[in-house]
Amino acid sequence: MIKGVILMNDKGKPRLVKFYDYHPAEKQQELIRRLYGVLSSRAEDVSNFVKVDSLFGPDTRLVYKTYATLHILFIFDSSENELAMLDLMQVFVEAMDKCFSNVRELDIVFNFNKVHAILDEIILGGQVLETSSSEVVKAVEEISKYSPNPLCFFSLLFFTHQVSQDAISYFLFRMERAANSLMAVPSITGWQGR
Amino acid sequence: MSGPTLLDSLFQRSLEDLIKGLRLYVGDESTFISKSLDEIRREIKSTDPQTKSIALQKLTYLHSIHGVDMSWASFHAIELSSSHSLNFKRVAYLAASLSFDPSTTDVILLLTNQLRKDLQSPNSHEVSLALNALYFIATPDLARDLTPEVFILLNSNKGSTRKKAIALILRLFELYPDAVRVCFKRLVENLENSDPGIVSAVVGVFCELARNEAKSYLPLAPEFYKILVESRNNWLLIKVLKIFLELAPLEPRLGKRLVEPICDHLKRTGAKSLAFECVRTIVTSFSEYEFAVRLAVEKIKEFLNDDDPNLKYLGLQALTIVAPKHLWAVMENKDFVIRSLSDADANIKLEALQLVLAMVSEDNVMDICKVLINYALKSDPEFCNEILGCILLACSRNVYEIIVDFDWYVSLLGEMTRIPHCQKGEEIENQLVDIGMRVKDARPQLVRVGRDLLIDPALFGNPFVHRILSAAAWVSGEYVRFSKNPSELVEALLQPRTSLLPSSIKAVYIQSAFKVLTFYVHHYISTKGVISSASQGVEDLMHGRVQENPQFVRTGPVADSDTDDGGLNPMMLHRPVRDVSVESFEDMSVAHEWLSSTSSKVEPITEESIVSILNFVETTLGPLSGSHDVEILERSRNVLGLVELIREELLGYLVKREEDNDKGQRKTHEMIKLIAEAFSEELGPVSASSQERVPVPEGMVLNQNLADLDAICGDLGLHIPTSFSFGRSISSGKDDVTMSDLQSKEEVESTESTSLLAEHRKRHGLYYLQSQKKEMVYDDYPPANDLKTGNNADDEADDLVKLTEQSLFPKKKANQAKPRPVVVKLDDGDGPFIPAKKVESKDDLISGAVRDVLLGDEATTSSSRTKKSDKSSSKRRQKDKLDIDKSSVLKEDSKALENSELENASLRRSKRHSRGKEKKHRSIAKDRDEHEEGDKQKVSHNHGKHKSRQRADVALTLAAQSPVIPDFLL
């Protein structure tokens, strides 16, 4: 089974942390720190496997993949295939890419809930459930229909003026983009890293 | 803190605001977080679900990303989960799944009803939220209470919901094994589903289950086989292969059927992941099918030559799996493996290293080690030590199985010590000492290497090699008789730089100096003695030599043990000459040889050199006699005492040289001799299990006096028996020898003595192989210590036969042309003790239940049910009959009905009878407790446990009687 999924950036800041066994918050932070230590010591163009027996006990493996500024880490045991995990990572990234249309690190930072929703569609309880990114996107979009807008202000607007939800979503989407670019964060290109 | 005002709610910061604020905040993040936490604490108490949900969302974010504690907010999450809005529910469940600890969060129980409601909801999103959350927060109670709901979902119309329910089932089985009885059948039915996603989910669950206890799932092999042959879904195939990986070793006949489809997949597939899985399955479980392995190795070669380092790495890993059974596969890729040692990737390097060492054999060990040491010199410290560790491990495997030339190996160990990054001090130390004790022939080289290490001043700088120095010091002291220049050793052992060493090692140094000094002086005196007493006649000379210089007489085992005995028992010194004379002529030649060969090399010992050494020792050790470390203090005092003694002796010698040997002088002379002999006693390895093999002496009742002791010493009494026997084992058998030898000496006249001796020898040989080996090599010579009479010669021979029968070594004649030196091996005590693996009781429970379900008896299902319906055993019997019918029907369904099944059924029936009776008793007993809620639960749990274990037994006997399963396949 899959034991955990971690997204962190190249500075070691976690962006998404999901362990399928309970670990207390401090331990999670400690694990992330140590994993970052391991990852940052690895050169480019080397294999994507890391021995993590010392961190997670025997029979655990870790594969990671770096997309621009973001590392994606999967921790799992011997009932998963290493290469299949790398494929699954690709599925995950593709799904995010479709949900956020050309995903960047900031999308992941600001869409905490949605990224969790995407991941939950792919993996439940450490078991891989969906391997088609379009199916994942479909399910996530369906759920998002239920969710009101992220800002109270706009939800008030929505109730009072009966503006169509799509219009508001679109508006919000533009706003968000603008905000992101205003903050002059380097845009992430080349998501389809190795 | 006051509740949030309307204004607060209106202008509440959203999660986005929080994140932005955090990103823009200059300075310490934690101050911002604690400020936000204050806000959140206020907001979360709001009655407005919107405000509450945003507060919870922010808190969850801070918890997950910044590690903030949110256990205090558990209840708020539960409160919010009852909201009607899916969005709020989602926030609540996410918070629960990320922060609840099933073992400590006690409010989880409050969620039971809400979860049940959501699981039954018509809205599939609510259902999937609940399923997802349930995985994270499930407790045994929750699992028990919600199993029925999840069971219903296993038949859900909506594929995605069904998949999630299936994935969750695994957790329920784990926490509440009785869920197996309810859900298993439906789970199996889902294997036939047309939706590959659902099948994949089920297979995933079985893959996990089979990993813990594969045996129970053998009956499902046909279903999995069907998937393997028919499916083209790579994800699914990988999981099925994983299952077969577990099943194959249990049923050899599976192999025949499986190998072909797996090879087909391997040839056909373009997906690397599936290809690798096929390769792994073949090399792990089907390595006896040559053609399949050939194919797999071809594929591995492709992987190795790929540009992707991942594939290279996995290819090497696969080779590591093949290596033990098909070394040729590694040999074919030898060049690649060696090249990979210098790969940029640490993973690949490590795998390559493993493979290189897998190729090591008697013939190439020297070459390979040479190559590896060169790599180690060039590598970074970490990998360098990795290499050293692997070499040490490979060479010492199975008591130095692959080492023929120990001189070379010992030198290699010395070479390793000099590698600057070397951190393997402890391991090298152990091996140096171990080789010293086990391999007699390696000792001269050991002493040479030890000397080189001791005089190398550069080594003091690396704290990791200090322990090696300790071994070098010990070896030089213990085997000083092989040293060419003892005085140099003394100087090395007491050089000023030794102050850099930790005190425990320094103590070893001083003790070794003691041994060397004793040897040195003793050597001097005895050579003098030989010269001066030349007039005393040949017989005396011989006697004197043999007795006084036991270390020269490196002859037979018996001679050694003789002198050892003498060393410990002054009485023995006056042993009549005939004791030794039997062998002494033979030995003398050896001693002479040694003398003549060494005396040319060893610098002649003069009074001057001795005096200078004594002065040196006194000046260096003088300050240490006031050391704070007791070990150092005591040992240096010992040495100083010896120096004192020698001075006396020497002076006496110098003064009275012209006169005849005086009695007083004789005395000190003998004392030095005594000390020297004490040190010449040989130390050998002791089997870890030797303790068990020490027979209890006749007439000794271990338990008899213990009761009294208990009364006397209280709890201390408990330790007495162990410490007694421990002492015996620790004495490494040698002291045993002395003790019983003494005994036998005392009763020389009685006829018992010989049998005692024989018995001793027999016993001795059992757990202390050294004597055994000696007797084999030198069996031409009767043991000198034995007072032989005609009638016990036969016994002797018998003993010898027994001993050789027990021997581990192939019998070697002493005069064979330079064979591998004898390595003392203990029969079994060499390996570390590996405790037997215990199967987890929980897995037992699951698999027991699974066997039940698969074998079709469902009537005695969950314990709760049996609790209600019970009492009449006749009813039960009827029911059982029905069950058997049912079970056979079920078997038919899965094409499993065999003739043998009938037998099984009857067997089961008879077993069931007895079980039914037992249950009746139990249920009566249970009726009494039924009123107590808490107890009831416990009882039912125990009950279930007991039952399933019983079942497991039944199932086992069934399996043993007739392997039903593979027949569907064949």
Side-chain angles (χ1 to χ4, degrees):
Chain A
M1 67 179 275
I2 296 168
K3 300 198 160 176
V5 175
I6 298 171
L7 267 59
M8 64 165 95
N9 74 357
D10 53 4
K11 308 246 173 15
K13 279 206 190 300
R15 295 306 185 198
L16 172 104
V17 183
K18 194 130 188 165
F19 285 105
Y20 291 95
D21 296 314
Y22 179 77
H23 293 290
E26 313 85 67
K27 201 186 161 203
Q28 291 188 7
Q29 297 291 317
E30 170 68 17
L31 285 172
I32 290 164
R33 257 195 302 279
R34 292 176 66 178
L35 285 175
Y36 176 68
V38 175
L39 286 198
S40 55
S41 70
R42 290 182 64 81
E44 275 175 47
D45 292 330
V46 294
S47 61
N48 297 114
F49 304 98
V50 177
K51 288 212 157 67
V52 286
D53 299 23
S54 55
L55 293 179
F56 296 97
D59 190 34
T60 38
R61 295 132 198 238
L62 183 149
V63 292
Y64 71 97
K65 218 169 179 184
T66 308
Y67 292 89
T69 58
L70 204 67
H71 300 299
I72 300 185
L73 290 76
F74 274 45
I75 301 143
F76 53 92
D77 63 17
S78 63
S79 57
E80 304 292 338
N81 180 295
E82 294 87 341
L83 295 169
M85 285 299 107
L86 284 170
D87 288 344
L88 195 66
M89 245 176 233
Q90 191 61 38
V91 171
F92 184 35
V93 171
E94 267 173 32
M96 287 195 290
D97 212 33
K98 284 176 187 161
C99 280
F100 303 113
S101 52
N102 199 9
V103 65
R104 316 150 174 233
E105 190 187 333
L106 270 184
D107 292 320
I108 296 165
V109 172
F110 282 104
N111 291 283
F112 180 71
N113 286 332
K114 200 165 185 181
V115 177
H116 269 284
I118 295 171
L119 187 60
D120 286 348
E121 283 302 315
I122 300 175
I123 303 168
L124 189 143
Q127 299 290 311
V128 182
L129 287 187
E130 186 55 70
T131 51
S132 143
S133 60
S134 44
E135 286 294 319
V136 174
V137 174
K138 222 165 77 188
V140 173
E141 294 296 329
E142 226 174 286
I143 303 169
S144 326
K145 272 187 206 155
Y146 288 83
S147 49
N149 314 290
L151 297 177
C152 321
F153 176 67
F154 287 104
S155 62
L156 278 176
L157 240 177
F158 174 62
F159 288 120
T160 50
H161 298 274
Q162 299 295 311
V163 182
S164 90
Q165 200 188 6
D166 282 352
I168 287 187
S169 318
Y170 182 67
F171 179 54
L172 279 177
F173 174 66
R174 302 307 315 170
M175 287 272 290
E176 204 175 290
R177 288 277 145 177
N180 290 350
S181 53
L182 267 181
M183 286 157 85
V185 176
S187 146
I188 298 165
T189 50
W191 266 106
Q192 311 300 326
R194 202 179 50 72
Chain B
M1 264 190 281
S2 58
T5 61
L6 183 65
L7 213 64
D8 279 338
S9 306
L10 265 180
F11 293 96
Q12 186 188 20
R13 285 204 282 180
S14 69
L15 176 59
E16 275 199 51
D17 296 336
L18 175 82
I19 298 170
K20 273 180 194 152
L22 244 162
R23 289 171 68 84
L24 293 173
Y25 191 79
V26 203
D28 195 6
E29 237 176 28
S30 58
T31 44
F32 186 89
I33 291 177
S34 64
K35 223 175 82 197
S36 314
L37 269 179
D38 287 343
E39 242 172 55
I40 290 168
R41 272 176 209 274
R42 222 171 330 115
E43 290 162 7
I44 210 167
K45 287 182 186 150
S46 164
T47 45
D48 172 30
Q50 173 76 21
T51 314
K52 205 186 193 66
S53 101
I54 290 180
L56 190 62
Q57 206 172 351
K58 289 194 283 187
L59 186 58
T60 312
Y61 175 83
L62 289 178
H63 169 79
S64 177
I65 303 295
H66 295 279
V68 170
D69 172 56
M70 66 174 287
S71 53
W72 54 272
S74 313
F75 187 72
H76 295 290
I78 288 175
E79 228 177 10
L80 195 65
S81 71
S82 61
S83 161
H84 292 293
S85 154
L86 182 73
N87 193 43
F88 297 155
K89 226 183 249 299
R90 198 154 67 129
V91 171
Y93 278 140
L94 182 65
S97 65
L98 289 181
S99 71
F100 283 14
D101 176 4
S103 56
T104 58
T105 311
D106 41 8
V107 287
I108 286 178
L109 272 183
L110 299 175
L111 258 181
T112 314
N113 276 325
Q114 186 58 44
L115 279 169
R116 181 175 292 141
K117 225 173 98 195
D118 288 338
L119 288 175
Q120 291 167 341
S121 159
N123 183 338
S124 68
H125 296 299
E126 278 182 7
V127 177
S128 64
L129 280 180
L131 285 172
N132 194 38
L134 183 54
Y135 171 83
F136 288 97
I137 64 174
T139 61
D141 287 340
L142 215 53
R144 186 196 58 217
D145 293 340
L146 295 176
T147 297
E149 278 72 30
V150 179
F151 172 68
I152 293 166
L153 289 175
L154 286 179
N155 261 2
S156 163
N157 292 328
K158 200 155 163 32
S160 66
T161 309
R162 202 192 275 209
K163 273 195 289 191
K164 287 178 179 170
I166 290 168
L168 183 67
I169 276 291
L170 191 64
R171 189 65 154 194
L172 297 187
F173 284 3
E174 241 170 63
L175 295 169
Y176 176 62
D178 273 343
V180 174
R181 296 172 206 285
V182 183
C183 305
F184 198 78
K185 217 175 132 204
R186 198 167 274 188
L187 190 64
V188 175
E189 282 164 11
N190 272 316
L191 270 180
E192 314 260 323
N193 201 291
S194 55
D195 181 350
I198 290 175
V199 179
S200 173
V202 180
V203 170
V205 170
F206 278 117
C207 181
E208 293 294 331
L209 289 173
R211 255 161 53 86
N212 293 328
E213 229 282 351
K215 204 166 189 165
S216 319
Y217 306 97
L218 266 178
L220 289 172
E223 270 81 7
F224 297 139
Y225 179 75
K226 216 174 107 201
I227 296 170
L228 180 70
V229 179
E230 288 171 7
S231 174
R232 284 292 173 270
N233 178 331
N234 290 340
W235 289 88
L236 191 51
L237 287 171
I238 287 174
K239 285 285 180 181
V240 170
L241 284 173
K242 292 257 184 211
I243 294 177
F244 278 125
L245 198 66
E246 304 288 341
L247 295 186
L250 301 176
E251 179 48 74
R253 279 182 286 172
L254 272 176
K256 251 184 265 165
R257 295 297 298 264
L258 290 176
V259 155
E260 248 168 67
I262 294 177
C263 286
D264 288 346
H265 281 304
L266 185 55
K267 283 179 211 154
R268 173 192 62 84
T269 185
K272 295 276 194 282
S273 49
L274 180 58
F276 179 65
E277 203 55 53
C278 290
V279 168
R280 179 152 57 193
T281 312
I282 290 173
V283 296
T284 313
S285 293
F286 303 114
S287 55
E288 67 272 20
Y289 296 91
E290 192 74 25
F291 68 97
V293 174
R294 283 250 163 240
L295 193 67
V297 171
E298 280 303 307
K299 202 75 190 175
I300 290 175
K301 222 175 260 175
E302 260 175 54
F303 280 5
L304 293 181
N305 292 322
D306 202 288
D307 287 334
D308 186 350
N310 289 331
L311 293 183
K312 262 186 213 171
Y313 172 63
L314 292 177
L316 287 172
Q317 232 178 21
L319 270 189
T320 319
I321 305 174
V322 195
K325 283 183 186 154
H326 299 275
L327 198 61
W328 56 265
V330 188
M331 288 308 204
E332 274 179 19
N333 297 293
K334 195 171 144 199
D335 293 343
F336 180 85
V337 171
I338 299 277
R339 253 186 296 126
S340 300
L341 276 179
S342 43
D343 199 282
D345 191 342
N347 289 335
I348 292 183
K349 280 201 285 193
L350 278 180
E351 281 308 318
L353 181 60
Q354 296 297 333
L355 281 171
V356 169
L357 288 165
M359 291 190 278
V360 167
S361 70
E362 256 181 53
D363 311 317
N364 60 13
V365 60
M366 289 166 96
D367 298 331
I368 287 183
C369 285
K370 203 170 144 199
V371 172
L372 285 180
I373 291 280
N374 280 336
Y375 268 109
L377 282 169
K378 286 184 283 181
S379 307
D380 55 304
E382 196 186 335
F383 189 57
C384 167
N385 280 299
E386 216 45 79
I387 293 181
L388 295 185
C390 283
I391 295 178
L392 289 170
L393 192 71
C395 290
S396 63
R397 201 184 296 144
N398 234 341
V399 201
Y400 313 101
E401 194 177 42
I402 54 168
I403 306 291
V404 176
D405 185 351
F406 274 90
D407 286 358
W408 162 80
Y409 185 57
V410 168
S411 317
L412 183 79
L413 289 178
E415 219 175 294
M416 281 184 191
T417 312
R418 290 208 163 74
I419 293 175
H421 298 310
C422 174
Q423 296 177 3
K424 293 283 167 194
E426 194 176 341
E427 184 58 32
I428 297 179
E429 176 201 26
N430 290 341
Q431 292 201 7
L432 282 175
V433 173
D434 196 40
I435 291 174
M437 291 199 286
R438 286 178 193 272
V439 192
K440 278 193 165 188
D441 297 0
R443 286 172 191 170
Q445 180 67 13
L446 260 178
V447 172
R448 242 168 286 151
V449 169
R451 170 208 167 261
D452 292 348
L453 293 178
L454 287 177
I455 60 170
D456 189 343
L459 293 177
F460 288 103
N462 181 358
F464 290 108
V465 302
H466 283 170
R467 301 201 52 174
I468 307 176
L469 291 179
S470 153
W474 184 83
V475 164
S476 325
E478 186 65 25
Y479 307 116
V480 59
R481 58 178 176 272
F482 301 111
S483 169
K484 288 190 183 115
N485 193 346
S487 64
E488 184 193 44
L489 272 181
V490 175
E491 275 168 37
L493 286 169
L494 298 177
Q495 61 181 297
R497 285 180 73 99
T498 53
S499 57
L500 293 169
L501 296 170
S503 54
S504 60
I505 294 174
K506 194 142 191 234
V508 176
Y509 265 64
I510 297 173
Q511 183 72 1
S512 296
F514 187 37
K515 290 181 190 168
V516 176
L517 192 64
T518 313
F519 168 80
Y520 189 60
V521 174
H522 183 219
H523 183 204
Y524 165 72
I525 292 171
S526 49
T527 31
K528 285 286 175 213
V530 169
I531 295 160
S532 62
S533 61
S535 59
Q536 286 188 347
V538 189
E539 200 181 302
D540 212 352
L541 166 77
M542 260 161 28
H543 178 204
R545 271 261 197 87
V546 173
Q547 277 213 332
E548 287 165 21
N549 296 344
Q551 54 275 76
F552 293 171
V553 193
R554 296 175 298 112
T555 56
V558 196
D560 259 11
S561 55
D562 270 354
T563 42
D564 293 344
D565 294 346
L568 288 174
N569 175 19
M571 297 285 288
M572 305 287 275
L573 287 177
H574 306 292
R575 204 189 303 138
V577 182
R578 63 189 169 93
D579 271 0
V580 264
S581 62
V582 193
E583 54 174 0
S584 54
F585 282 109
E586 198 59 38
D587 300 335
M588 278 311 291
S589 60
V590 180
H592 273 302
E593 254 173 58
W594 190 86
L595 273 177
S596 54
S597 65
T598 47
S599 58
S600 55
K601 290 175 226 155
V602 177
E603 56 173 299
I605 306 172
T606 60
E607 286 93 1
E608 289 74 38
S609 64
I610 289 211
V611 169
S612 73
I613 279 201
L614 292 184
N615 287 338
F616 172 74
V617 172
E618 257 182 342
T619 48
T620 47
L621 283 185
L624 289 179
S625 60
S627 168
H628 289 297
D629 191 292
V630 278
E631 285 289 317
I632 295 181
L633 174 75
E634 198 175 351
R635 291 180 190 199
S636 52
R637 288 248 165 121
N638 281 346
V639 181
L640 290 174
L642 179 74
V643 168
E644 208 57 25
L645 195 70
I646 296 167
R647 274 198 194 287
E648 210 175 281
E649 158 82 19
L650 210 58
L651 285 176
Y653 216 87
L654 291 175
V655 171
K656 296 172 186 171
R657 192 164 3 161
E658 271 75 59
E659 302 167 24
D660 237 348
N661 282 346
D662 182 33
K663 265 183 193 170
Q665 188 211 324
R666 259 289 190 214
K667 222 175 184 178
T668 38
H669 197 134
E670 266 166 22
M671 278 177 84
I672 289 169
K673 192 169 65 192
L674 260 179
I675 297 171
E677 279 166 4
F679 282 138
S680 70
E681 177 182 323
E682 203 165 287
L683 302 168
V686 182
S687 161
S689 60
S690 58
Q691 170 63 49
E692 296 155 20
R693 278 176 272 167
V694 179
V696 181
E698 245 178 82
M700 181 172 189
V701 185
L702 279 172
N703 297 328
Q704 200 175 31
N705 293 328
L706 289 183
D708 299 344
L709 278 175
D710 250 1
I712 297 163
C713 321
D715 52 349
L716 275 178
L718 282 176
H719 298 292
I720 285 173
T722 46
S723 62
F724 163 72
S725 28
F726 188 51
R728 268 181 85 94
S729 78
I730 245 186
S731 63
S732 82
K734 269 302 178 195
D735 294 1
D736 256 20
V737 179
T738 335
M739 301 255 293
S740 40
D741 273 2
L742 272 176
Q743 247 179 348
S744 62
K745 279 283 182 281
E746 280 162 17
E747 314 166 276
V748 167
E749 273 78 40
S750 75
T751 43
E752 271 175 65
S753 68
T754 44
S755 64
L756 241 175
L757 246 179
E759 195 198 325
H760 155 72
R761 189 146 309 187
K762 206 160 61 186
R763 186 201 315 164
H764 190 63
L766 271 178
Y767 61 93
Y768 190 63
L769 259 169
Q770 206 165 14
S771 58
Q772 201 172 314
K773 176 202 71 190
K774 285 169 183 168
E775 262 167 295
M776 267 159 33
V777 180
Y778 295 95
D779 52 5
D780 294 349
Y781 307 106
N785 207 14
D786 265 353
L787 299 170
K788 264 197 178 179
T789 51
N791 58 356
N792 68 3
D794 292 341
D795 294 1
E796 275 288 331
D798 282 353
D799 285 345
L800 205 67
V801 170
K802 273 180 208 157
L803 283 173
T804 43
E805 270 170 5
Q806 291 153 2
S807 165
L808 279 174
F809 307 107
K811 217 173 174 183
K812 272 181 192 166
K813 286 278 172 251
N815 55 359
Q816 238 167 354
K818 223 252 169 184
R820 176 172 183 264
V822 183
V823 181
V824 178
K825 241 188 194 177
L826 303 163
D827 345 18
D828 61 344
D830 280 317
F833 178 67
I834 301 155
K837 246 194 193 169
K838 271 192 183 172
V839 191
E840 280 174 51
S841 61
K842 208 147 230 176
D843 296 337
D844 261 357
L845 288 177
I846 296 178
S847 51
V850 169
R851 283 196 197 108
D852 265 8
V853 177
L854 281 177
L855 292 175
D857 61 284
E858 264 183 320
T860 49
T861 43
S862 68
S863 53
S864 54
R865 242 182 269 178
T866 51
K867 217 193 295 167
K868 283 165 203 157
S869 72
D870 52 13
K871 277 160 197 179
S872 77
S873 61
S874 61
K875 222 190 230 169
R876 177 162 303 287
R877 230 169 276 161
Q878 271 187 332
K879 228 176 174 186
D880 286 351
K881 230 180 190 173
L882 261 171
D883 282 343
I884 290 155
D885 295 346
K886 227 196 264 173
S887 80
S888 47
V889 171
L890 204 126
K891 285 263 164 65
E892 230 164 359
D893 282 349
S894 56
K895 303 152 227 154
L897 191 65
E898 289 293 313
N899 291 340
S900 59
E901 194 55 29
L902 282 171
E903 287 170 34
N904 287 342
S906 62
L907 179 106
R908 221 180 304 147
R909 200 178 310 160
S910 65
K911 288 242 172 184
R912 196 83 54 75
H913 275 288
S914 57
R915 231 194 299 151
K917 262 183 217 163
E918 199 184 317
K919 234 171 253 162
K920 197 178 144 203
H921 289 302
R922 284 171 158 271
S923 52
I924 290 166
K926 217 186 293 157
D927 281 350
R928 265 179 247 143
D929 299 85
E930 207 138 24
H931 300 291
E932 293 162 62
E933 273 291 315
D935 279 5
K936 203 166 85 183
Q937 239 171 43
K938 224 185 259 170
V939 169
S940 77
H941 200 75
N942 287 343
H943 187 78
K945 212 177 199 170
H946 183 81
K947 206 168 50 177
S948 59
R949 197 161 295 156
Q950 259 187 342
R951 295 261 175 68
D953 291 344
V954 177
L956 272 175
T957 49
L958 285 179
Q961 281 218 338
S962 63
V964 198
I965 311 93
D967 294 328
F968 337 132
L969 277 179
L970 304 172

